[in-house]
């Protein structure tokens, strides 16, 4: 983790024992042999359940359909996208939104792998050409 932080230019405080952790975080209790690493602002934590609720709310607000099934395959056609699920259903759509998080590049569901880096923020900044943006 320390090498990843360095390679990504992330500033962290390393704690070699529980006493050093307790100095900065007296409200936490760790076993004596504990070590730790802390990244300050802008890091934080995201409650996954609340994130999903917010994402679903945005989809509904924008008249999207929410289908809670496991996607097995995605076929990209010129006129549409076909989505097959593990339930055997096939859905046809003009656009789809993937909310796969850390699994974005797995399972062969997107046309091409994204060049993603491990970061503390959950923001993706992408450069698109005009066709992709359209």
């Amino acid at each position: 983790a320390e090498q990843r932080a360095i390679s990504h230019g992330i500033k962290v405080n390393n704690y070699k024992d529980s006493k050093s952790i307790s100095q900065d975080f007296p409200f936490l209790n760790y076993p004596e042999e504990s070590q730790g690493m802390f990244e300050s602002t802008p890091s934080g934590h995201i409650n996954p359940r609340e994130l999903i609720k917010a994402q679903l709310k945005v989809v509904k607000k924008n008249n999207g359909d929410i289908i809670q099934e496991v996607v097995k395959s995605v076929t990209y056609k010129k006129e549409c996208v076909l989505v097959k699920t593990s339930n055997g259903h096939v859905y046809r759509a003009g656009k789809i939104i993937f909310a796969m998080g850390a699994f974005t590049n797995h399972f062969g569901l997107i046309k091409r792998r994204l060049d993603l880096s491990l970061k503390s923020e959950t923001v993706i900044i992408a450069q698109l050409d005009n066709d992709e943006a359209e």
Side-chain angles (χ1 to χ4, degrees):
E2 188 172 356
Q3 288 304 313
R4 283 226 167 166
I6 291 167
S7 70
H8 290 287
I10 300 169
K11 269 188 140 179
V12 296
N13 291 337
N14 288 302
Y15 299 97
K16 301 300 179 194
D17 55 42
S18 63
K19 283 184 182 179
S20 60
I21 297 172
S22 295
Q23 286 174 351
D24 286 351
F25 304 97
F27 48 88
L28 299 176
N29 185 12
Y30 287 97
E32 198 172 306
E33 66 278 2
S34 296
Q35 296 180 356
M37 180 182 286
F38 176 72
E39 177 189 355
S40 62
T41 305
S43 72
H45 88 284
I46 294 174
N47 179 327
R49 288 178 183 89
E50 293 300 319
L51 175 63
I52 290 169
K53 276 191 220 173
Q55 290 170 333
L56 294 174
K57 185 176 178 180
V58 169
V59 170
K60 287 178 184 175
K61 184 178 178 183
N62 288 281
N63 300 314
D65 293 317
I66 298 169
I67 300 166
Q68 295 186 5
E69 295 180 39
V70 175
V71 175
K72 296 297 273 185
S73 69
V74 177
T75 305
Y76 297 89
K77 303 252 181 196
K78 199 170 196 166
E79 66 283 354
C80 69
V81 180
L82 296 176
V83 177
K84 293 181 185 175
T85 69
S86 59
N87 295 8
H89 297 121
V90 177
Y91 298 96
R92 178 188 199 111
K95 296 179 184 179
I96 58 174
I97 297 173
F98 286 106
M100 298 165 38
F103 300 100
T104 298
N105 285 329
H106 301 283
F107 308 111
L109 298 178
I110 58 176
K111 285 184 183 180
R112 60 183 162 83
R113 290 180 61 86
L114 300 180
D115 184 16
L116 300 175
S117 298
L118 176 65
K119 296 282 289 174
S120 60
E121 295 83 10
T122 55
V123 174
I124 295 177
I125 299 172
Q127 183 174 354
L128 307 174
D129 62 32
N130 288 337
D131 290 338
E132 288 176 316
E134 189 60 36

